[in-house]
Amino acid sequence: MITVRRSNERGQTKLAWLDSRHTFSFGDYHDPRHMGFSHLRVINEDRVVPGAGFGTHSHRDMEIITYVLEGALAHKDSTGTSSVIRVGEVQRMSAGTGISHSEYNASQSEPVHFLQIWIIPDKTGLNPDYEQKIVPFDKNRGRWTLIASKNGRDGSVTVHQDVDVWAARFVSGESSTLRLKLDRHAFAQAARGAVTFNGVRLDAGDGAATSQEEILEFKAVEDGEMLLFDLA
C-alpha cells in the first residue's frame, strides 16, 4: 500500500525571504497525522531569496542532511566548518551533543532551492560532526546513487541510523526498479519533474510512503529528480 503526501497538502512557512514547505510537522506547523515516518523526521523544501538565510541557531541529537536543487548554500557551524553546498552535492551534519550553525544563500542575485532532511539518530550524545560529498550523477545517469548510509558505503555520507538514502535523476521515459526487504519501509520524495511510483504519479513536491512492498518501480513521466529513503 502506498500513502501519498501531496505537495499542496504540506505545511508552509512563508516569510519575505523564505518559502518553506513541510512534509512533516515542523516549527509552527503541527499536524499529529504527519509527525514523520519511521526514523525520518523532517523533509523541508526551502526556497531562499538572494543574500538571505537562516541565522545562527542550535540543534541537538539529530542527523541533518542538506541537498541542493538550485543555486548554492553557504554553511558555517561551531565545529569551525565553513563551506558552500552546490547542486550535485550532499551535506550531512550530526548535531550530537550540540551544534550551532547558519545557512545562507551564497548568491546576491540568484535564489537557492534545497531540501533539508532530519533523521533521528540511533543514539544520543554523539560528537558533533560534518561531512560533504559530490554525488556522482554523471556516471550513474538514470540509476539510483547512494548518497547517505549508516556505514558510509559506496562513497555516501555517514548517518548514525539504519537508513539508506538514494538519489536519482531521470530523463522522461526512463525506468528503474529497487528491491525493498519486507521488514523495511520506504519514503519517496519527488524533488523535480514527475514520476510514477508503483503506478502512482508523483509530481514535484509530492512524497509517498510504503511498507511491506518488495518491488519499488519508478518511471519518469518528465525529466526529474527523486530521493528515496530505505528505513528500518
Side-chain angles (χ1 to χ4, degrees):
M1 177 180 172
I2 294 176
T3 302
V4 178
R5 177 71 155 144
R6 293 297 178 194
S7 176
N8 61 1
E9 297 172 348
R10 296 178 295 177
Q12 183 178 21
T13 298
K14 181 71 171 176
L15 303 172
W17 58 274
L18 170 69
D19 184 356
S20 182
R21 308 299 174 104
H22 315 302
T23 298
F24 305 115
S25 294
F26 183 84
D28 292 335
Y29 167 65
H30 179 79
D31 185 337
R33 300 169 300 169
H34 299 287
M35 296 300 298
F37 181 71
S38 181
H39 305 299
L40 179 58
R41 177 60 188 84
V42 166
I43 300 178
N44 287 346
E45 181 180 5
D46 293 344
R47 289 177 168 85
V48 176
V49 302
F54 302 89
T56 302
H57 57 287
S58 299
H59 300 289
R60 293 179 61 92
D61 294 322
M62 195 64 67
E63 301 290 284
I64 300 173
I65 295 173
T66 301
Y67 185 87
V68 175
L69 296 167
E70 297 175 273
L73 191 68
H75 168 95
K76 291 184 179 180
D77 66 47
S78 53
T79 70
T81 299
S82 179
S83 69
V84 176
I85 312 155
R86 304 183 189 278
V87 175
E89 297 180 338
V90 60
Q91 174 218 63
R92 184 267 306 168
M93 184 176 69
S94 295
T97 54
I99 195 167
S100 298
H101 74 124
S102 63
E103 310 280 354
Y104 275 84
N105 188 337
S107 172
Q108 296 296 318
S109 59
E110 300 294 331
V112 62
H113 177 201
F114 61 98
L115 299 178
Q116 187 169 94
I117 297 148
W118 291 12
I119 295 171
I120 300 168
D122 56 11
K123 62 179 68 175
T124 60
L126 296 167
N127 290 327
D129 192 27
Y130 180 94
E131 191 176 12
Q132 182 174 333
K133 291 189 176 182
I134 296 172
V135 181
F137 282 122
D138 288 346
K139 70 177 184 180
N140 287 333
R141 187 77 197 191
R143 295 184 294 160
W144 291 95
T145 299
L146 188 68
I147 64 170
S149 64
K150 184 173 176 62
N151 57 9
R153 70 184 190 279
D154 298 335
S156 62
V157 298
T158 301
V159 289
H160 299 94
Q161 184 51 266
D162 185 6
V163 57
D164 287 341
V165 185
W166 300 85
R169 292 176 179 172
F170 295 118
V171 173
S172 178
E174 286 184 330
S175 59
S176 180
T177 300
L178 283 174
R179 290 188 174 270
L180 186 71
K181 293 181 179 178
L182 288 178
D183 60 346
R184 305 283 291 184
H185 311 278
F187 193 92
Q189 182 70 29
R192 294 186 298 112
V195 302
T196 58
F197 173 31
N198 283 12
V200 177
R201 178 171 171 139
L202 301 179
D203 292 291
D206 291 345
T210 189
S211 300
Q212 298 182 337
E213 295 253 0
E214 185 177 3
I215 305 298
L216 308 180
E217 296 180 333
F218 297 86
K219 185 171 183 178
V221 180
E222 305 169 356
D223 292 1
E225 191 163 354
M226 293 284 300
L227 295 184
L228 180 77
F229 302 84
D230 177 348
L231 301 141

